[in-house]
Amino acid sequence: MTVARSERLLALLQTLRRYRQPVSGAKLAAETGVSLRTLYRDIASLQAQGAFIEGEAGLGYVLRPGFMLPPMMFSEEEIEALVLGSRWVAKTADPRLAAGAVDALAKIAAVLPPDLRQELDSSTLLVGAPRRGEDRADLGLIRKAIRAEHILELAYEDEKGALTHRKVWPFALGFFDSVRVMVAWCELRQDFRHFRTDRISSAAWTETRYPRRRPVLLKEWREAEGIPAQP
């Protein structure tokens, strides 16, 4: 397999990963810049290598989960994106998530070929130290509640220092330069609310799962706020 063909197959896989529903061969060919005949050959080649691509000409194709790309297939831009993203998380996230970013990058570096490892080690994309108030809440607990779809009991101070006690359904956590914000459905207000983590005096885990699914809450919140879905 030539280098050019390797890059072409990688581009096809990356394109397929963006679609959850079957996509036509004509659309895939147009997005990857090849002829329809070449596309069919490339799909057959990927299937022979173990890629779980289902479908056929005239019906469309979809990539099922389970096919892993070798790390040496990362492009220079992808390496830079990984480095920049990991460095940003290491600077801005809570200690456990920051450590996870550092460990993940180290695992990637350990299996990269020498030329790409050098690109990773010598990256000049830097992240400045954030300026923000200290978190009073345990962000690890909040992330756990989001993953498990469990209700949290909060003691929360508003901008005037008034304290309220609430039960909330956390479903997202936003990281900004100056503040971190938990997005949740608030039972007290019966609406979506944004809670700054530096104003959460206490957060207690409950064994109660909230009655709606996290993706549904996220979708409804995005629609209410006019926020497009992230790629």
Side-chain angles (χ1 to χ4, degrees):
M1 182 183 295
T2 66
V3 173
R5 186 162 179 247
S6 297
E7 293 176 352
R8 194 175 72 234
L9 295 180
L10 174 61
L12 175 55
L13 277 172
Q14 299 289 57
T15 301
L16 281 166
R17 286 181 186 277
R18 294 199 296 267
Y19 293 95
R20 295 186 179 181
Q21 302 298 325
V23 56
S24 70
K27 188 170 185 179
L28 290 171
E31 290 195 25
T32 54
V34 300
S35 68
L36 197 55
R37 177 179 293 182
T38 298
L39 176 84
Y40 292 149
R41 287 202 305 264
D42 288 347
I43 286 177
S45 177
L46 288 171
Q47 289 172 328
Q49 295 179 50
F52 302 147
I53 301 174
E54 296 181 356
E56 58 184 81
L59 297 178
Y61 298 91
V62 63
L63 178 66
R64 299 301 181 191
F67 185 67
M68 303 299 293
L69 291 175
M72 68 279 297
M73 298 297 283
F74 286 128
S75 68
E76 291 181 354
E77 287 75 18
E78 289 168 339
I79 289 291
E80 289 186 337
L82 287 169
V83 171
L84 182 60
S86 297
R87 287 178 177 174
W88 189 88
V89 172
K91 286 279 189 179
T92 61
D94 58 278
R96 277 181 283 181
L97 200 58
V102 174
D103 291 344
L105 197 59
K107 289 179 180 178
I108 293 171
V111 294
L112 285 175
D115 56 337
L116 289 182
R117 190 182 306 122
Q118 183 176 359
E119 289 288 336
L120 186 149
D121 292 338
S122 61
S123 174
T124 56
L125 302 180
L126 308 177
V127 177
R131 297 168 60 185
R132 68 160 60 91
E134 289 296 322
D135 288 311
R136 298 163 69 183
D138 180 353
L139 267 64
L141 176 68
I142 293 174
R143 288 189 282 105
K144 178 183 176 182
I146 290 172
R147 290 193 299 267
E149 300 180 347
H150 273 233
I151 293 174
L152 287 179
E153 294 182 348
L154 301 184
Y156 187 74
E157 293 183 7
D158 64 17
E159 65 275 7
K160 297 180 180 179
L163 187 67
T164 58
H165 295 273
R166 309 166 184 241
K167 288 185 177 181
V168 301
W169 310 351
F171 60 87
L173 189 60
F175 292 80
F176 303 92
D177 287 339
S178 59
V179 69
R180 291 184 273 235
V181 177
M182 179 184 70
V183 188
W185 176 266
C186 177
E187 293 187 357
L188 177 66
R189 304 302 185 197
Q190 286 295 295
D191 201 356
F192 295 114
R193 285 293 185 267
H194 305 129
F195 299 93
R196 287 178 46 159
T197 57
D198 58 343
R199 292 179 180 168
I200 297 177
S201 296
S202 65
W205 173 271
T206 75
E207 293 299 328
T208 306
R209 291 191 63 174
Y210 47 76
R212 304 182 65 195
R213 296 307 309 275
R214 170 166 39 93
V216 174
L217 292 172
L218 182 62
K219 181 176 182 293
E220 291 181 355
W221 169 75
R222 287 188 184 280
E223 292 173 349
E225 297 290 329
I227 299 173
Q230 293 185 351

